[in-house]
Amino acid sequence: MFDHILVPTDGSDHAVRAAEYAVDLAATYGAALHVLYVVDVRTGHADAPVDDDSQTRGETAVGVVADRAADRDVPVETEIRVGLPHETIIDYGDERDIDLVVMGTHGTSGLERYLLGSVAERVVRLSDVPVLCVPPADDDE
């Protein structure tokens, strides 16, 4: 049913919770897991190179998920990109023939959700493939 599952991560607890679902699904269906961290251009300039802090945060975030996938013998690809998160997630999915996107309903910025609309909401609206949105655990809220 699923050959390629994408889990975008921002390193938050909510994203890690979604990644656990993605790893379970990938293990169940024998799918490859794609882990994507997006350096948000809204916090800097689109043409600026990725700074060391952003690179380190991205490597840490995708590394956590990749380690969980490796523990379950799930093949995994990781990538760090720069862009608008929802657009970058959709573009990555199109480029890699992703069958399912698994993501948290909340990210690192609660205020952003009210000002701009959440990344998850935009991905759900714009994606051509199913999107599984994982809510935060009761103790994460």
Side-chain angles (χ1 to χ4, degrees):
M1 175 175 269
F2 303 116
D3 294 322
H4 297 276
I5 298 173
L6 171 59
V7 60
T9 184
D10 60 9
S12 68
D13 291 341
H14 304 309
V16 171
R17 179 171 154 81
E20 291 171 358
Y21 279 83
V23 170
D24 284 345
L25 286 166
T28 299
Y29 289 102
L33 187 67
H34 298 256
V35 185
L36 176 65
Y37 180 90
V38 180
V39 178
D40 192 342
V41 295
R42 292 174 298 182
T43 60
H45 297 287
D47 297 346
V50 177
D51 63 36
D52 289 342
D53 288 342
S54 296
Q55 185 70 29
T56 300
R57 280 192 304 275
E59 289 171 0
T60 300
V62 299
V64 166
V65 180
D67 289 347
R68 290 175 189 239
D71 290 344
R72 299 281 305 273
D73 293 324
V74 169
V76 63
E77 290 183 34
T78 64
E79 189 160 340
I80 299 170
R81 291 191 178 182
V82 177
L84 293 173
H86 71 281
E87 289 179 0
T88 305
I89 292 165
I90 298 294
D91 290 346
Y92 183 95
D94 291 344
E95 293 166 16
R96 301 296 176 98
D97 294 322
I98 296 298
D99 303 303
L100 174 69
V101 178
V102 180
M103 61 190 306
T105 57
H106 297 73
T108 55
S109 173
L111 180 61
E112 177 182 300
R113 181 172 188 271
Y114 296 106
L115 296 176
L116 300 171
S118 76
V119 172
E121 288 170 330
R122 290 178 182 188
V123 172
V124 166
R125 281 194 324 250
L126 299 171
S127 179
D128 292 331
V129 299
V131 179
L132 173 62
C133 291
V134 179
D138 290 337
D139 58 345
D140 288 344
E141 295 182 285

